C-alpha cells in the first residue's frame, strides 16, 4: 500500500492539530438535536455536518482528521460533493467509527464489552475504498463499588487489540480508545482512584496490543484524562495535568506517535485548559492533542440551531473552539488568554 501507517499517524497529531469527533451515532446525535428542539433527519444531520466540514479556516489550520459515522462517510453535501472530498480538500484525513457500541457483559453486572468484531475485516475494506484512513473503537470502563473487574478490563482490552490488528492489516490507522468514565455511575470516585484504574487499563491494553503484533508506530491512543468523578469534582487544572502525565509516562511506550484525548464529560473550557497545562508544563515523548466531540461542537450546535441563516454563526463558534484547542495542543492557550485580558 502506498500510504504508510506511520506517516498517517504522524499527520494525525502534527503541528498542534487535532481530531474532530463527528461520529455520533444516529441515537446520540438525536439527543444533541433534542437539546435545541431540532428533529433528527438524514438531511438535517447532513446540513449540520456540512456546516462543520466547510468551516475552511478551522479545518485547514486546526483539524488533522475527522472521525465519521458510517452514514456520514458515504454522505454527500447539498451540492453533491462527497464529504470525504471536502475533508481531503482541507488537507484533513477522513476516519470512521467501527465499533457497534458497548453492550452489557454476561455475568459482569454493571460492566460492558464493546461489540463489532464480527465482519470487521470486510467492513474495513469497504471503508478503505470509501476513503477512510483511520478508524476508532471505544472500550468503556466504569468505576464503582467493586468495579471495574479484571474480567471486564481484559475483555475490552483484547477486543481493542484485535480491532487494531485488523485495521493495520487493512492499511488503516487504529485509534485505540479505552475510556475510564468520569460521568459513569455513581461518579463519586477520586482523582487518585481514576489514576489507579487508568494505569491498570493502559498497562493491560498495551500488553494485549503487543501480543496481537500491533505496530505501535502506526496507531494513536485516545484515553481519558485523569480526573475525579462527575459528582466529586475537586481537582485543579494543575493536578489533572500532573496526574495524567504521570500515568501516561508510566504506561504508554514512546513508540506511539501521539495521544489524542477524549473530552469525556468535561466542559469545553476544562478540556482545553487541561490539555494546554500538559503541553506547556511537561517534556513529553509523544504529541499530546485532542479528539473532541462535544468540546468542539456544543457552541457551534447552539449557535446554528438548525437554521440556514445561522450557518455563519455556527461556523464562527466551531472555529473559535478549534483554535483554542490548537493553542492548547501547542501549550500556548493560557498565554493567549493572558494577552487578551
Amino acid at each position: 500500500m502506498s500510504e504508510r501507517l506511520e506517516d498517517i499517524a504522524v499527520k494525525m497529531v502534527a503541528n498542534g492539530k487535532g481530531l474532530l469527533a463527528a461520529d455520533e451515532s444516529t441515537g446520540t446525535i438525536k439527543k444533541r438535536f433534542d437539546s435545541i428542539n431540532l428533529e433528527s433527519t438524514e438531511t438535517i444531520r447532513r446540513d449540520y455536518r456540512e456546516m462543520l466540514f466547510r468551516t475552511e479556516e478551522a479545518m485547514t489550520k486546526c483539524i488533522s482528521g475527522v472521525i465519521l459515522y458510517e452514514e456520514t462517510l458515504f454522505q454527500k453535501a447539498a451540492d453533491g460533493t462527497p464529504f470525504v472530498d471536502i475533508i481531503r480538500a482541507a488537507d484533513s484525513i477522513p476516519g470512521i467509527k467501527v465499533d457497534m457500541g458497548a453492550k452489557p457483559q454476561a455475568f459482569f453486572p454493571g460492566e460492558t464489552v464493546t461489540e463489532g468484531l464480527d465482519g470487521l475485516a470486510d467492513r474495513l475494506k469497504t471503508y478503505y475504498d470509501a476513503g477512510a484512513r483511520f478508524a476508532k473503537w471505544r472500550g468503556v470502563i466504569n468505576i464503582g463499588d467493586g468495579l471495574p473487574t479484571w474480567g471486564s478490563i481484559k475483555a475490552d482490552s483484547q477486543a481493542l487489540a484485535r480491532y487494531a490488528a485488523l485495521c493495520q492489516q487493512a492499511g488503516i490507522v487504529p485509534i485505540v480508545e479505552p475510556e475510564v468514565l468520569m460521568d459513569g455511575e455513581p461518579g463519586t470516585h477520586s482523582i487518585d482512584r481514576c489514576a489507579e484504574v487508568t494505569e491498570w487499563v493502559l498497562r493491560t491494553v498495551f500488553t494485549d496490543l503487543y501480543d496481537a503484533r500491533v505496530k505501535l508506530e502506526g496507531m494513536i491512543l485516545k484515553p481519558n484524562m485523569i480526573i475525579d468523578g462527575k459528582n466529586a469534582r475537586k481537582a485543579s487544572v494543575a493536578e489533572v495535568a500532573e496526574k495524567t502525565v504521570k500515568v501516561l509516562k508510566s504506561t504508554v511506550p514512546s513508540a506511539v506517535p501521539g495521544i489524542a484525548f477524549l473530552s469525556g464529560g468535561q466542559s469545553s473550557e476544562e478540556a482545553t485548559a487541561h490539555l494546554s497545562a500538559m503541553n506547556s508544563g511537561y517534556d513529553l515523548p509523544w504529541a499530546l492533542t485532542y479528539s473532541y466531540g462535544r468540546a468542539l461542537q456544543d457552541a457551534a450546535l447552539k449557535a446554528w440551531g438548525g437554521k440556514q441563516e445561522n450557518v455563519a454563526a455556527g461556523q464562527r463558534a466551531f472555529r473559535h473552539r478549534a483554535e483554542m484547542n490548537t493553542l492548547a495542543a501547542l501549550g500556548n492557550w493560557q498565554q493567549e488568554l493572558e494577552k487578551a485580558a
Side-chain angles (χ1 to χ4, degrees):
M1 292 177 185
S2 57
E3 297 161 293
R4 296 195 326 147
L5 295 169
E6 301 94 313
D7 297 335
I8 298 168
V10 166
K11 186 174 179 181
M12 288 167 67
V13 294
N15 303 319
K17 289 186 174 183
L19 303 171
L20 167 61
D23 59 330
E24 301 90 353
S25 67
T26 305
T28 298
I29 203 161
K30 180 182 182 302
K31 291 177 188 172
R32 304 271 171 89
F33 285 175
D34 285 347
S35 72
I36 58 168
N37 297 313
L38 183 66
E39 185 183 6
S40 179
T41 67
E42 183 178 355
T43 300
I44 293 173
R45 292 192 296 272
R46 178 205 69 192
D47 291 346
Y48 172 59
R49 279 154 173 162
E50 181 172 357
M51 175 187 73
L52 298 175
F53 303 158
R54 287 199 188 274
T55 308
E56 187 175 350
E57 198 167 347
M59 290 293 296
T60 56
K61 294 181 179 178
C62 305
I63 304 299
S64 59
V66 183
I67 311 171
L68 302 169
Y69 189 56
E70 187 176 85
E71 173 187 80
T72 320
L73 177 68
F74 296 100
Q75 220 164 22
K76 295 179 180 178
D79 67 0
T81 308
F83 277 155
V84 165
D85 290 348
I86 294 172
I87 292 166
R88 283 170 168 163
D91 197 30
S92 191
I93 306 168
I96 178 74
K97 171 188 174 180
V98 299
D99 69 70
M100 298 297 184
K103 306 293 166 62
Q105 186 176 354
F107 304 121
F108 287 78
E111 296 186 290
T112 61
V113 63
T114 299
E115 297 183 349
L117 288 170
D118 287 351
L120 179 57
D122 290 334
R123 286 194 289 130
L124 288 168
K125 290 175 188 171
T126 302
Y127 299 149
Y128 184 93
D129 290 342
R133 291 298 178 267
F134 71 90
K136 190 202 82 163
W137 178 291
R138 174 177 176 249
V140 182
I141 307 296
N142 190 32
I143 297 177
D145 185 18
L147 302 181
T149 62
W150 166 240
S152 178
I153 289 174
K154 192 65 176 173
D156 259 320
S157 177
Q158 288 181 327
L160 279 164
R162 290 176 63 196
Y163 139 81
L166 287 168
C167 283
Q168 291 190 340
Q169 180 178 259
I172 288 175
V173 170
I175 294 179
V176 174
E177 181 179 359
E179 179 181 4
V180 177
L181 294 174
M182 175 188 100
D183 53 359
E185 295 301 332
T188 54
H189 57 272
S190 68
I191 190 170
D192 289 329
R193 178 62 176 151
C194 178
E196 178 183 44
V197 171
T198 303
E199 181 170 340
W200 182 16
V201 169
L202 291 177
R203 285 189 188 282
T204 307
V205 166
F206 278 101
T207 297
D208 286 331
L209 289 169
Y210 175 80
D211 289 344
R213 301 181 179 176
V214 170
K215 180 186 283 191
L216 298 185
E217 295 85 354
M219 63 160 279
I220 299 294
L221 179 69
K222 182 173 178 176
N224 54 283
M225 294 182 191
I226 305 303
I227 199 162
D228 27 21
K230 65 174 181 178
N231 297 318
R233 300 299 302 281
K234 293 181 201 169
S236 66
V237 169
E239 188 178 7
V240 170
E242 177 192 0
K243 294 196 171 181
T244 303
V245 168
K246 183 179 179 183
V247 167
L248 294 176
K249 281 191 169 183
S250 70
T251 56
V252 183
S254 60
V256 174
I259 295 170
F261 288 108
L262 55 91
S263 51
Q266 302 175 66
S267 72
S268 301
E269 292 74 18
E270 284 176 326
T272 305
H274 291 145
L275 176 61
S276 189
M278 287 180 236
N279 276 309
S280 63
Y282 297 90
D283 181 24
L284 305 166
W286 356 253
L288 273 196
T289 190
Y290 55 92
S291 177
Y292 293 164
R294 278 174 295 186
L296 281 172
Q297 294 184 48
D298 266 4
L301 178 64
K302 288 168 184 167
W304 172 62
K307 297 176 181 174
Q308 181 61 32
E309 62 266 28
N310 292 339
V311 166
Q315 290 180 323
R316 283 194 299 273
F318 172 52
R319 185 179 71 240
H320 175 70
R321 289 312 321 158
E323 288 171 347
M324 291 301 100
N325 283 297
T326 280
L327 286 171
L330 296 168
N332 298 333
W333 175 75
Q334 188 62 43
Q335 292 168 251
E336 291 299 317
L337 277 192
E338 289 165 1
K339 275 188 208 170

